[in-house]
Amino acid sequence: MNRWSRLLLSALLALAAGAAFAQAVMRDAPRDVKPGIIAVSATPPVISVDGKDDRLSPGARIHDRNNMLVLSGALAGQTLYTVYRRDQAGLVHEVWLLNADEYAKVGGISDGDPNGYKRFYELLQAIWNARWLTLLK
C-alpha cells in the first residue's frame, strides 16, 4: 500500500468517524417530558421538583447541556432548570439540564392550552437544534 492509499484511507476513516459523531450527537428533543426547577439536596437522591419533595429513581440519568451523563452527587446543593421524565413508579428518572434562557422559553407553556404541548415540543426541538449547531462550531 503506497502512501497515497494510506492517506485516502485515513481521510475516509476520518469522514466516517465524523458522520458517526454527527449521528450520535444529533437527536430529537425528548418526548413526554415536563419543565421544572429541580433542587438537589445535599444527600441525593432526595430532590424537590418545583418546591415539592421528590426523589430520583434508582439509576436516574441526568444529561448535561452536551448530553453527557452527570452523577447526582455532583449536583448536590444546586437548583437547576430542567425538563424531566418520570418512571412507572412516579420517580424522576431522566433529567435534561437547561440554562435560564432555554427554561424561560419552555417553562411558561400553559397546560390548559390545547396547543400548549405542541408548542412546548416545538420550542424544545428548537433548543436541541441550537445546541447541535453550537457543537458544530
Side-chain angles (χ1 to χ4, degrees), residues 55-126:
R55 290 183 70 86
L56 291 170
S57 70
R61 294 180 291 190
I62 302 171
H63 304 267
D64 70 4
R65 296 206 46 205
N66 295 321
N67 203 32
M68 303 289 288
L69 292 179
V70 179
L71 298 176
S72 59
L75 303 174
Q78 296 183 33
T79 301
L80 309 160
Y81 296 111
T82 67
V83 291
Y84 66 94
R85 178 183 298 150
R86 294 187 179 275
D87 65 4
Q88 293 177 346
L91 300 173
V92 176
H93 182 65
E94 216 164 358
V95 178
W96 289 268
L97 303 180
L98 304 175
N99 64 26
D101 293 334
E102 293 170 342
Y103 184 78
K105 289 178 186 174
V106 299
I109 302 300
S110 167
D111 292 345
D113 181 13
N115 293 322
Y117 282 112
K118 180 181 178 187
R119 179 83 176 120
F120 170 74
Y121 289 121
E122 288 172 357
L123 289 170
L124 200 55
Q125 187 64 45

Coordinates of all heavy atoms in Angstrom, one line a residue, residues 55-126:
R55 N -38.0 12.3 44.7 CA -36.8 11.5 44.7 C -36.4 11.2 43.3 O -37.3 11.1 42.4 CB -37.1 10.2 45.4 CG -37.2 10.4 46.9 CD -37.4 9.0 47.6 NE -36.2 8.2 47.6 CZ -35.2 8.3 48.5 NH1 -35.3 9.2 49.4 NH2 -34.2 7.6 48.4
L56 N -35.1 11.0 43.1 CA -34.6 10.4 41.8 C -34.8 8.9 41.9 O -34.6 8.3 43.0 CB -33.2 10.8 41.6 CG -32.8 12.2 41.4 CD1 -31.3 12.4 41.4 CD2 -33.3 12.7 40.0
S57 N -35.1 8.3 40.8 CA -35.2 6.8 40.8 C -33.8 6.2 40.8 O -32.8 6.8 40.5 CB -35.9 6.4 39.5 OG -35.0 6.6 38.4
P58 N -33.8 4.9 41.2 CA -32.5 4.2 41.2 C -32.1 4.2 39.7 O -32.8 3.8 38.8 CB -32.8 2.8 41.7 CG -34.1 3.0 42.5 CD -34.8 4.1 41.8
G59 N -30.9 4.5 39.4 CA -30.4 4.5 38.1 C -30.8 5.7 37.3 O -30.8 5.7 36.0
A60 N -31.2 6.8 37.9 CA -31.7 8.0 37.2 C -30.5 8.5 36.3 O -29.4 8.5 36.7 CB -32.1 9.1 38.2
R61 N -30.9 9.0 35.2 CA -30.0 9.6 34.2 C -30.1 11.1 34.1 O -31.2 11.6 33.8 CB -30.1 8.9 32.8 CG -29.8 7.5 32.9 CD -30.0 6.8 31.5 NE -31.4 6.8 31.3 CZ -31.9 6.2 30.2 NH1 -31.2 5.5 29.4 NH2 -33.3 6.1 30.0
I62 N -29.1 11.8 34.4 CA -29.1 13.3 34.3 C -28.1 13.7 33.2 O -27.0 13.3 33.2 CB -28.6 13.9 35.6 CG1 -29.5 13.4 36.8 CG2 -28.6 15.4 35.5 CD1 -29.0 13.8 38.1
H63 N -28.7 14.3 32.2 CA -27.9 14.8 31.0 C -27.6 16.2 31.1 O -28.5 17.1 31.3 CB -28.7 14.6 29.7 CG -29.2 13.2 29.5 ND1 -28.6 12.2 28.8 CD2 -30.4 12.5 30.0 CE1 -29.2 11.1 28.8 NE2 -30.3 11.3 29.5
D64 N -26.3 16.6 30.9 CA -26.0 18.0 30.9 C -26.2 18.6 29.6 O -26.8 18.0 28.7 CB -24.5 18.2 31.4 CG -23.5 17.7 30.3 OD1 -23.9 17.3 29.2 OD2 -22.3 17.7 30.7
R65 N -25.8 19.8 29.3 CA -26.1 20.5 28.1 C -25.4 19.9 26.9 O -25.8 20.2 25.8 CB -25.7 22.0 28.2 CG -26.5 22.7 29.3 CD -26.7 24.1 29.1 NE -27.0 24.3 27.7 CZ -26.8 25.4 27.0 NH1 -26.2 26.4 27.5 NH2 -27.1 25.5 25.7
N66 N -24.4 19.1 27.1 CA -23.7 18.4 26.0 C -24.2 17.0 25.9 O -23.5 16.2 25.2 CB -22.2 18.5 26.2 CG -21.7 19.9 26.1 OD1 -22.2 20.7 25.3 ND2 -20.8 20.2 26.9
N67 N -25.2 16.6 26.5 CA -25.8 15.3 26.6 C -24.9 14.3 27.2 O -25.0 13.1 27.0 CB -26.2 14.8 25.2 CG -27.3 13.7 25.2 OD1 -28.1 13.7 26.2 ND2 -27.2 12.8 24.3
M68 N -24.0 14.7 28.1 CA -23.1 13.9 28.8 C -23.8 13.6 30.1 O -24.5 14.4 30.7 CB -21.8 14.5 29.1 CG -21.0 15.0 27.9 SD -20.4 13.6 26.9 CE -19.0 13.1 28.0
L69 N -23.6 12.3 30.7 CA -24.3 12.0 31.9 C -23.5 12.6 33.1 O -22.3 12.7 33.1 CB -24.3 10.5 32.1 CG -25.2 9.7 31.1 CD1 -25.2 8.2 31.3 CD2 -26.7 10.2 31.2
V70 N -24.3 13.1 34.1 CA -23.8 13.7 35.3 C -24.3 12.9 36.5 O -25.5 12.5 36.5 CB -24.3 15.2 35.4 CG1 -23.8 15.8 36.6 CG2 -23.9 16.0 34.1
L71 N -23.4 12.7 37.4 CA -23.9 12.0 38.6 C -24.6 13.0 39.5 O -24.3 14.1 39.6 CB -22.7 11.4 39.4 CG -21.9 10.4 38.6 CD1 -20.6 10.0 39.4 CD2 -22.7 9.2 38.3
S72 N -25.7 12.4 40.2 CA -26.5 13.3 41.1 C -25.7 13.9 42.2 O -25.9 15.0 42.6 CB -27.7 12.5 41.6 OG -27.2 11.4 42.4
G73 N -24.6 13.2 42.7 CA -23.8 13.8 43.7 C -23.0 15.0 43.3 O -22.8 15.9 44.1
A74 N -22.7 15.1 42.0 CA -22.0 16.3 41.5 C -22.9 17.5 41.5 O -22.4 18.7 41.4 CB -21.5 16.0 40.1
L75 N -24.2 17.3 41.6 CA -25.2 18.4 41.6 C -25.8 18.7 43.0 O -26.7 19.5 43.1 CB -26.4 18.1 40.6 CG -26.0 17.7 39.2 CD1 -27.2 17.3 38.4 CD2 -25.3 19.0 38.5
A76 N -25.2 18.1 44.0 CA -25.7 18.3 45.4 C -25.7 19.7 45.7 O -24.7 20.4 45.5 CB -24.9 17.4 46.3
G77 N -26.8 20.2 46.3 CA -26.9 21.6 46.8 C -27.3 22.6 45.7 O -27.3 23.8 45.9
Q78 N -27.5 22.1 44.5 CA -27.8 23.1 43.4 C -29.2 23.1 43.0 O -29.9 22.1 43.2 CB -27.0 22.7 42.1 CG -25.5 22.8 42.3 CD -24.7 22.4 41.0 OE1 -25.2 22.7 39.9 NE2 -23.6 21.8 41.2
T79 N -29.7 24.2 42.5 CA -31.0 24.3 41.9 C -30.9 24.5 40.4 O -30.1 25.3 39.9 CB -31.7 25.5 42.5 OG1 -31.8 25.4 43.9 CG2 -33.1 25.7 41.9
L80 N -31.6 23.6 39.6 CA -31.3 23.5 38.2 C -32.6 23.7 37.4 O -33.7 23.2 37.8 CB -30.8 22.1 37.9 CG -29.6 21.7 38.8 CD1 -29.4 20.2 38.7 CD2 -28.3 22.4 38.3
Y81 N -32.5 24.3 36.3 CA -33.6 24.4 35.3 C -33.5 23.1 34.5 O -32.5 22.8 33.9 CB -33.4 25.6 34.4 CG -33.5 26.9 35.1 CD1 -32.4 27.7 35.2 CD2 -34.7 27.4 35.7 CE1 -32.5 29.0 35.9 CE2 -34.8 28.6 36.3 CZ -33.7 29.4 36.4 OH -33.8 30.6 37.1
T82 N -34.7 22.4 34.3 CA -34.6 21.1 33.6 C -35.9 20.9 32.9 O -36.9 21.6 33.0 CB -34.5 20.0 34.7 OG1 -35.7 20.0 35.5 CG2 -33.3 20.2 35.6
V83 N -35.9 19.9 32.1 CA -37.0 19.1 31.6 C -36.8 17.7 32.1 O -35.6 17.2 32.1 CB -37.3 19.1 30.1 CG1 -37.7 20.5 29.6 CG2 -36.1 18.7 29.3
Y84 N -37.8 17.0 32.6 CA -37.6 15.7 33.2 C -38.7 14.8 32.8 O -39.8 15.2 32.4 CB -37.5 15.9 34.7 CG -38.8 16.3 35.4 CD1 -39.7 15.4 35.9 CD2 -39.1 17.7 35.5 CE1 -40.9 15.8 36.5 CE2 -40.3 18.1 36.1 CZ -41.2 17.2 36.6 OH -42.4 17.6 37.1
R85 N -38.4 13.5 33.0 CA -39.4 12.4 32.7 C -39.4 11.5 34.0 O -38.4 11.2 34.6 CB -38.9 11.6 31.5 CG -39.7 10.4 31.1 CD -39.1 9.7 30.0 NE -39.1 10.5 28.8 CZ -38.2 10.4 27.8 NH1 -37.2 9.5 27.9 NH2 -38.2 11.2 26.8
R86 N -40.6 11.0 34.3 CA -40.8 10.1 35.4 C -40.8 8.6 34.9 O -41.2 8.4 33.8 CB -42.1 10.4 36.2 CG -42.0 11.8 36.8 CD -43.2 12.0 37.7 NE -43.2 13.3 38.3 CZ -42.5 13.5 39.5 NH1 -41.9 12.6 40.1 NH2 -42.5 14.8 40.0
D87 N -40.5 7.7 35.9 CA -40.6 6.3 35.5 C -42.0 5.8 35.9 O -42.9 6.6 36.3 CB -39.5 5.5 36.2 CG -39.6 5.5 37.7 OD1 -40.6 6.1 38.3 OD2 -38.7 4.9 38.4
Q88 N -42.3 4.5 35.8 CA -43.6 4.0 36.1 C -44.0 4.1 37.6 O -45.1 4.1 37.9 CB -43.7 2.5 35.6 CG -43.6 2.4 34.1 CD -43.6 1.0 33.6 OE1 -43.4 0.1 34.4 NE2 -43.8 0.8 32.4
A89 N -43.0 4.1 38.4 CA -43.3 4.3 39.9 C -43.5 5.7 40.3 O -43.8 6.0 41.4 CB -42.1 3.7 40.7
G90 N -43.3 6.7 39.3 CA -43.6 8.1 39.6 C -42.3 8.8 40.1 O -42.4 10.0 40.4
L91 N -41.2 8.2 40.1 CA -39.9 8.8 40.5 C -39.3 9.5 39.3 O -39.5 9.1 38.1 CB -39.0 7.8 41.1 CG -39.4 7.1 42.3 CD1 -38.5 6.0 42.7 CD2 -39.7 8.0 43.5
V92 N -38.5 10.6 39.5 CA -37.9 11.3 38.4 C -36.8 10.4 37.9 O -35.8 10.0 38.7 CB -37.3 12.6 38.9 CG1 -36.5 13.3 37.8 CG2 -38.4 13.5 39.4
H93 N -36.8 10.0 36.7 CA -35.9 9.0 36.1 C -34.9 9.6 35.1 O -33.8 9.2 35.1 CB -36.7 7.9 35.5 CG -35.8 6.8 34.9 ND1 -35.0 6.0 35.7 CD2 -35.5 6.4 33.6 CE1 -34.3 5.2 35.0 NE2 -34.6 5.4 33.7
E94 N -35.3 10.5 34.3 CA -34.5 11.1 33.3 C -34.6 12.6 33.4 O -35.7 13.2 33.4 CB -34.8 10.6 31.9 CG -33.6 10.4 31.1 CD -33.9 9.5 29.9 OE1 -35.0 9.0 29.7 OE2 -33.0 9.4 29.1
V95 N -33.4 13.3 33.4 CA -33.4 14.8 33.5 C -32.5 15.3 32.5 O -31.4 14.8 32.2 CB -32.9 15.2 34.9 CG1 -32.8 16.7 35.1 CG2 -33.8 14.6 36.0
W96 N -32.9 16.4 31.8 CA -32.0 17.2 30.9 C -31.9 18.6 31.4 O -32.9 19.2 31.7 CB -32.7 17.2 29.5 CG -32.6 15.9 28.8 CD1 -31.7 15.5 27.9 CD2 -33.6 14.9 28.9 NE1 -32.0 14.2 27.5 CE2 -33.2 13.8 28.0 CE3 -34.8 14.7 29.6 CZ2 -33.9 12.6 27.9 CZ3 -35.5 13.6 29.4 CH2 -35.1 12.5 28.6
L97 N -30.7 19.0 31.6 CA -30.4 20.3 32.2 C -30.5 21.4 31.1 O -30.1 21.2 30.0 CB -29.0 20.4 32.8 CG -28.7 19.3 33.9 CD1 -27.3 19.5 34.4 CD2 -29.7 19.4 35.0
L98 N -31.1 22.5 31.5 CA -31.3 23.7 30.6 C -30.6 24.9 31.3 O -30.4 24.9 32.5 CB -32.8 24.0 30.4 CG -33.7 22.9 29.9 CD1 -35.1 23.3 29.9 CD2 -33.2 22.5 28.5
N99 N -30.3 25.9 30.5 CA -29.9 27.1 31.0 C -31.1 28.0 31.3 O -32.2 27.7 30.9 CB -28.8 27.8 30.2 CG -29.3 28.2 28.8 OD1 -30.4 28.5 28.6 ND2 -28.3 28.3 27.9
A100 N -30.9 29.2 31.9 CA -32.0 30.0 32.2 C -32.8 30.5 31.0 O -34.0 30.6 31.0 CB -31.5 31.2 33.0
D101 N -32.1 30.8 29.9 CA -32.8 31.3 28.7 C -33.6 30.2 28.1 O -34.8 30.4 27.6 CB -31.8 31.7 27.6 CG -31.0 33.0 28.1 OD1 -31.6 33.7 28.9 OD2 -29.9 33.2 27.6
E102 N -33.1 28.9 28.0 CA -33.8 27.8 27.5 C -35.1 27.5 28.3 O -36.2 27.3 27.8 CB -33.0 26.6 27.4 CG -31.8 26.7 26.4 CD -30.8 25.6 26.5 OE1 -30.8 24.9 27.5 OE2 -30.1 25.4 25.5
Y103 N -34.9 27.6 29.6 CA -36.0 27.3 30.5 C -37.1 28.4 30.4 O -38.3 28.1 30.4 CB -35.6 27.2 32.0 CG -36.7 26.9 32.9 CD1 -37.2 25.5 33.0 CD2 -37.4 27.8 33.7 CE1 -38.2 25.2 33.8 CE2 -38.4 27.5 34.5 CZ -38.8 26.2 34.6 OH -39.9 25.8 35.4
A104 N -36.7 29.6 30.2 CA -37.6 30.7 30.0 C -38.5 30.5 28.8 O -39.7 30.8 28.7 CB -36.9 32.1 29.9
K105 N -37.9 29.9 27.7 CA -38.6 29.6 26.5 C -39.7 28.5 26.7 O -40.8 28.6 26.2 CB -37.7 29.2 25.4 CG -36.8 30.4 24.9 CD -35.9 29.9 23.8 CE -34.9 31.0 23.4 NZ -33.9 30.5 22.4
V106 N -39.3 27.5 27.4 CA -40.2 26.3 27.5 C -41.0 26.3 28.9 O -42.0 25.6 29.0 CB -39.5 25.0 27.4 CG1 -38.9 24.9 26.0 CG2 -38.5 24.7 28.5
G107 N -40.5 27.0 29.9 CA -41.1 27.0 31.2 C -42.5 27.6 31.3 O -43.2 27.3 32.2
G108 N -42.8 28.5 30.4 CA -44.0 29.3 30.6 C -45.2 28.7 29.8 O -46.2 29.3 29.6
I109 N -45.0 27.5 29.2 CA -46.1 26.9 28.4 C -47.3 26.5 29.3 O -47.1 25.8 30.3 CB -45.6 25.7 27.6 CG1 -44.4 26.1 26.7 CG2 -46.7 25.1 26.8 CD1 -44.8 27.2 25.7
S110 N -48.5 26.9 29.0 CA -49.6 26.6 29.8 C -50.2 25.2 29.5 O -50.3 24.8 28.3 CB -50.7 27.6 29.4 OG -52.0 27.2 30.0
D111 N -50.5 24.4 30.5 CA -51.1 23.1 30.3 C -52.5 23.2 29.8 O -53.0 22.2 29.3 CB -51.0 22.3 31.6 CG -49.6 22.0 32.1 OD1 -48.7 22.1 31.2 OD2 -49.4 21.6 33.2
G112 N -53.2 24.3 30.1 CA -54.6 24.4 29.7 C -54.8 24.7 28.2 O -55.9 24.5 27.7
D113 N -53.8 25.2 27.6 CA -53.9 25.5 26.1 C -53.8 24.2 25.3 O -52.9 23.4 25.5 CB -52.7 26.4 25.8 CG -52.7 26.8 24.3 OD1 -53.8 26.6 23.6 OD2 -51.7 27.4 23.9
P114 N -54.8 23.9 24.4 CA -54.8 22.7 23.6 C -53.5 22.6 22.8 O -53.1 21.5 22.5 CB -56.0 22.8 22.8 CG -56.7 24.1 23.0 CD -55.9 24.8 24.1
N115 N -53.0 23.7 22.3 CA -51.8 23.7 21.5 C -50.5 23.9 22.4 O -49.4 24.0 21.8 CB -51.8 24.7 20.4 CG -52.9 24.4 19.4 OD1 -53.1 23.3 19.1 ND2 -53.6 25.5 19.0
G116 N -50.7 23.9 23.7 CA -49.5 24.2 24.6 C -48.4 23.1 24.5 O -47.3 23.5 24.4
Y117 N -48.8 21.8 24.5 CA -47.8 20.8 24.4 C -47.1 20.8 23.0 O -45.9 20.5 22.9 CB -48.4 19.4 24.7 CG -48.6 19.2 26.2 CD1 -49.9 19.1 26.7 CD2 -47.5 19.1 27.0 CE1 -50.0 19.0 28.1 CE2 -47.7 19.0 28.4 CZ -48.9 18.9 28.9 OH -49.1 18.7 30.3
K118 N -47.9 21.0 22.0 CA -47.3 21.1 20.7 C -46.3 22.2 20.6 O -45.2 22.0 20.1 CB -48.4 21.3 19.6 CG -47.8 21.3 18.2 CD -49.0 21.5 17.2 CE -48.4 21.6 15.8 NZ -49.3 22.0 14.8
R119 N -46.6 23.3 21.1 CA -45.7 24.5 21.1 C -44.5 24.2 22.0 O -43.4 24.5 21.7 CB -46.5 25.7 21.7 CG -45.6 26.9 21.8 CD -45.6 27.7 20.4 NE -44.8 28.9 20.6 CZ -43.7 29.2 20.0 NH1 -43.2 28.3 19.1 NH2 -43.1 30.3 20.2
F120 N -44.7 23.5 23.2 CA -43.7 23.1 24.1 C -42.6 22.3 23.3 O -41.4 22.5 23.4 CB -44.2 22.4 25.3 CG -43.2 21.7 26.1 CD1 -42.4 22.5 27.0 CD2 -43.0 20.4 26.1 CE1 -41.5 21.9 27.8 CE2 -42.1 19.7 26.9 CZ -41.3 20.5 27.8
Y121 N -43.1 21.2 22.6 CA -42.2 20.4 21.9 C -41.5 21.1 20.7 O -40.3 20.8 20.4 CB -42.9 19.1 21.4 CG -43.2 18.2 22.6 CD1 -44.5 17.8 22.8 CD2 -42.2 17.7 23.4 CE1 -44.8 17.0 23.9 CE2 -42.5 16.9 24.5 CZ -43.8 16.5 24.7 OH -44.1 15.7 25.8
E122 N -42.2 22.0 20.1 CA -41.5 22.8 19.0 C -40.4 23.6 19.6 O -39.3 23.7 19.0 CB -42.5 23.7 18.3 CG -43.5 22.9 17.5 CD -44.6 23.8 16.9 OE1 -44.7 25.0 17.3 OE2 -45.4 23.3 16.1
L123 N -40.6 24.3 20.8 CA -39.6 25.1 21.4 C -38.5 24.2 21.9 O -37.3 24.6 21.7 CB -40.2 25.9 22.6 CG -41.1 27.0 22.2 CD1 -41.8 27.5 23.4 CD2 -40.3 28.1 21.5
L124 N -38.8 23.0 22.4 CA -37.8 22.1 22.9 C -36.9 21.6 21.8 O -35.7 21.6 21.9 CB -38.4 21.0 23.6 CG -37.5 20.1 24.6 CD1 -36.9 21.0 25.6 CD2 -38.4 19.1 25.2
Q125 N -37.5 21.3 20.6 CA -36.8 20.9 19.4 C -35.9 22.0 18.9 O -34.7 21.8 18.5 CB -37.7 20.4 18.3 CG -37.0 19.8 17.1 CD -36.3 18.6 17.5 OE1 -36.8 17.7 18.2 NE2 -35.1 18.4 17.0
A126 N -36.3 23.3 19.0 CA -35.5 24.4 18.6 C -34.3 24.5 19.5 O -33.2 24.8 19.0 CB -36.3 25.7 18.6

